[in-house]
């Protein structure tokens, strides 16, 4: 019994412990530079696309360990088309809608072949990776297209450039008071949520460890306020974080509180049994890949806004970053297991490793080696822990 509890605890919190250890390691190795306000802001801004793409990739993985290899190319293609439209002077809102629509249509196209024709997802998305990378080069004619002068509002809203931060409505001078106030509000809302969940479980007669919940609340509240204070010491909350927070909140709710969210887990757990129970498994697959296309379009917007341009090379290896974040964050390579908070932890872990090694001056090739080994270790841990439970 105790052995099972230990295994369950390790599966649930191991990545959080590892994340804390890695933060401490890089804090020591960089002399504390990794925790400087500017570096914390850069961590969020530079990895915003990973958080968003990883959330979408999670839904694909939940359906049975399936992945989408095309997302980096879709990010590049949608960004390329968007940059050209922005330079024509079209209405920005219309361009945003068109970019999202293009991403959704691409996702629906790939989802159709996966769900209804039963072409293996690996083949469909590998094809998409090649097709949309090629189309990106065709659209851009192999050149970079700048949007900094033609679309300053787009750049500001989607998180690129030096002024893409939520303004301080309290005029705190050198300290962004709004960031601290926002952190306090989020912390209080989180505490209220945990209290409501505790009361709900106690009414249902479930066994609840109030000590464990208290430790969890204190830890997460401390992290929230740490980020709020760090943001306040630089320029404030980056707009890219707002987009990440919105997507994470929406998909956390979908995966944990809705019927369609439970269907993703059911299909990954046992597709045949799920189909026999009356659930339309084809629709689940279709939604997963259509949604992936939509989020790829949003990631494309964030990418060209941050870079203030579109280039044929943008999006390279984005799919690997998203897949790594999912598996490192606890998603099972077999499907049916994984959470949005876990994916965020995985993305943060990869981002901190990248940032820490960059500050230390580690060669980019060695950075890839480390990221690959971390991914392998996460998958091995998933396989071994399943064997232990069996």
């Amino acid at each position: 019994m105790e052995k099972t509890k230990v295994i369950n605890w390790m599966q649930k919190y191991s990545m959080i412990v590892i994340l804390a250890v890695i933060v401490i390691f890089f804090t020591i190795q960089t002399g504390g530079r990794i925790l400087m306000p500017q570096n914390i802001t850069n961590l969020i801004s530079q990895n915003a696309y990973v958080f968003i793409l990883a959330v979408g990739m999670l839904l694909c993985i939940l359906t049975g360990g399936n992945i989408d290899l095309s997302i980096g190319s879709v990010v590049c293609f949608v960004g390329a088309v968007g940059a050209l439209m922005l330079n024509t002077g079209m209405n920005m809102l219309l361009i945003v809608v068109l970019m999202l629509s293009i991403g959704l249509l691409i996702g629906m196209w790939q989802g159709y072949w996966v769900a209804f024709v039963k072409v293996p997802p690996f083949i469909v998305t590998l094809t998409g990776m090649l097709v949309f990378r090629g189309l990106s080069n065709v659209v851009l004619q192999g050149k970079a297209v700048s949007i900094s002068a033609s679309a300053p509002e787009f750049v500001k809203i989607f998180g690129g450039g030096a002024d893409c931060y939520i303004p301080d409505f309290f005029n705190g001078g050198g300290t962004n008071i709004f960031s601290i106030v926002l952190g306090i509000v989020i912390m209080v809302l989180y505490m209220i949520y945990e209290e409501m969940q505790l009361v709900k479980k106690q009414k249902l007669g479930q066994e609840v460890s109030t000590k464990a919940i208290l430790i969890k609340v204190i830890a997460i509240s401390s992290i929230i306020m740490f980020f709020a204070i760090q943001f306040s010491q630089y320029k404030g909350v980056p707009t890219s974080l707002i987009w990440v927070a919105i997507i994470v909140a929406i998909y956390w709710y979908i995966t944990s509180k809705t019927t369609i969210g439970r269907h993703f887990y059911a299909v990954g757990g046992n597709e045949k049994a799920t189909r026999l129970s009356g659930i339309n498994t084809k629709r689940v697959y279709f939604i997963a890949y259509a949604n992936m296309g939509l989020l790829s379009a949003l990631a494309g917007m964030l990418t060209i806004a941050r870079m203030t341009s579109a280039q044929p090379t943008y999006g390279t290896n984005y799919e690997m970053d998203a897949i790594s974040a999912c598996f490192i964050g606890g998603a099972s390579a077999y499907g049916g297991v994984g959470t949005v908070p876990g994916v965020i932890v995985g993305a943060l872990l990869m981002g901190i490793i990248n940032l820490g090694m960059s500050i230390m001056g580690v060669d980019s090739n060695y950075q890839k080696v480390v990221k690959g080994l971390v991914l392998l270790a996460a998958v091995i841990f998933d396989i071994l822990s399943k064997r232990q439970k069996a």
Side-chain angles (χ1 to χ4, degrees), residues 101-304:
S101 299
I102 291 170
L104 179 60
L105 287 172
I106 292 171
M108 292 171 66
W109 165 259
Q110 297 191 138
Y112 170 78
W113 297 111
V114 171
F116 299 105
V117 186
K118 295 296 181 182
V119 179
F122 180 88
I123 300 300
V124 173
T125 59
L126 178 61
T127 301
M129 180 176 72
L130 299 173
V131 168
F132 294 108
R133 180 64 64 181
L135 288 176
S136 300
N137 276 278
V138 171
V139 168
L140 294 173
Q141 298 180 344
K143 302 174 184 178
V145 175
S146 175
I147 62 169
S148 56
S150 61
E153 287 302 314
F154 180 89
V155 171
K156 188 173 182 179
I157 291 171
F158 289 97
D163 300 320
C164 302
Y165 298 86
I166 304 300
D168 185 6
F169 302 104
F170 300 95
N171 296 318
T175 300
N176 190 293
I177 304 299
F178 175 76
S179 299
I180 297 176
V181 172
L182 182 61
I184 293 172
V185 170
I186 294 172
M187 182 179 67
V188 171
L189 290 175
Y190 169 69
M191 289 179 176
I192 293 172
Y193 169 78
E194 286 292 344
E195 175 66 22
M196 291 172 61
Q197 291 297 106
L198 176 62
V199 172
K200 183 179 178 181
K201 289 179 180 179
Q202 288 175 338
K203 285 182 177 180
L204 293 172
Q206 297 179 8
E207 185 179 345
V208 181
S209 172
T210 54
K211 184 178 179 181
I213 292 175
L214 180 62
I215 293 172
K216 176 184 173 184
V217 169
I218 292 173
I220 293 179
S221 298
S222 300
I223 292 170
I224 291 171
M225 288 311 301
F226 170 77
F227 275 97
I229 292 170
Q230 293 301 94
F231 289 144
S232 73
Q233 298 302 310
Y234 187 51
K235 294 181 179 180
V237 179
T239 53
S240 56
L241 178 60
I242 302 302
W243 289 108
V244 170
I246 291 171
I247 294 300
V248 168
I250 290 172
Y251 284 85
W252 170 80
Y253 179 80
I254 290 173
T255 55
S256 63
K257 303 294 182 181
T258 67
T259 301
I260 186 63
R262 289 191 290 271
H263 289 175
F264 285 108
Y265 290 96
V267 170
N270 190 323
E271 182 183 356
K272 185 176 181 180
T274 303
R275 186 172 62 254
L276 292 174
S277 68
I279 294 173
N280 188 340
T281 56
K282 292 181 179 179
R283 187 184 67 167
V284 174
Y285 280 111
F286 181 78
I287 291 173
Y289 283 91
N291 172 76
M292 190 72 257
L294 181 66
L295 292 184
S296 296
L298 177 57
M301 294 181 199
L302 294 176
T303 298
I304 64 171

Side-chain angles (χ1 to χ4, degrees), residues 1-14 381 385 388-389:
M1 186 68 178
E2 287 300 320
K3 184 179 179 182
T4 303
K5 285 184 178 181
V6 171
I7 292 172
N8 290 336
W9 189 90
M10 283 296 294
Q11 282 188 313
K12 193 171 184 179
Y13 298 110
S14 58
F381 177 80
S385 60
Q388 291 281 349
K389 289 182 75 173

Side-chain angles (χ1 to χ4, degrees), residues 336-354:
V337 175
T339 64
V340 170
V343 165
I344 299 307
V345 170
L348 272 176
L349 192 148
M350 294 300 289
I352 289 169
I353 290 175
N354 286 336

Side-chain angles (χ1 to χ4, degrees), residues 305-357:
R306 184 170 69 87
M307 300 296 190
T308 65
S309 66
Q311 291 188 25
T313 56
Y314 285 174
T316 302
N317 290 329
Y318 277 20
E319 59 277 352
M320 297 304 151
D321 292 334
I323 293 167
S324 298
C326 289
F327 288 138
I328 292 170
S332 173
Y334 303 103
V337 175
T339 64
V340 170
V343 165
I344 299 307
V345 170
L348 272 176
L349 192 148
M350 294 300 289
I352 289 169
I353 290 175
N354 286 336
L355 180 61
M357 289 192 294

Side-chain angles (χ1 to χ4, degrees), residues 18-86:
I18 292 171
L19 177 62
V21 170
I22 288 176
V23 169
I24 293 170
F25 171 78
F26 281 116
T27 300
I28 295 170
Q29 292 297 316
T30 63
R33 283 180 295 165
I34 194 171
L35 296 180
M36 290 175 62
Q38 185 173 356
N39 285 329
I40 294 295
T41 300
N42 289 338
L43 174 67
I44 300 299
S45 299
Q46 293 173 7
N47 292 280
Y49 75 89
V50 182
F51 294 114
I52 289 173
L53 293 176
V55 168
M57 188 67 74
L58 174 65
L59 300 188
C60 297
I61 291 173
L62 286 177
T63 60
N66 301 306
I67 57 176
D68 188 338
L69 294 174
S70 70
I71 58 177
S73 298
V74 175
V75 164
C76 185
F77 177 69
V78 173
V81 174
L84 293 177
M85 287 193 292
L86 287 167

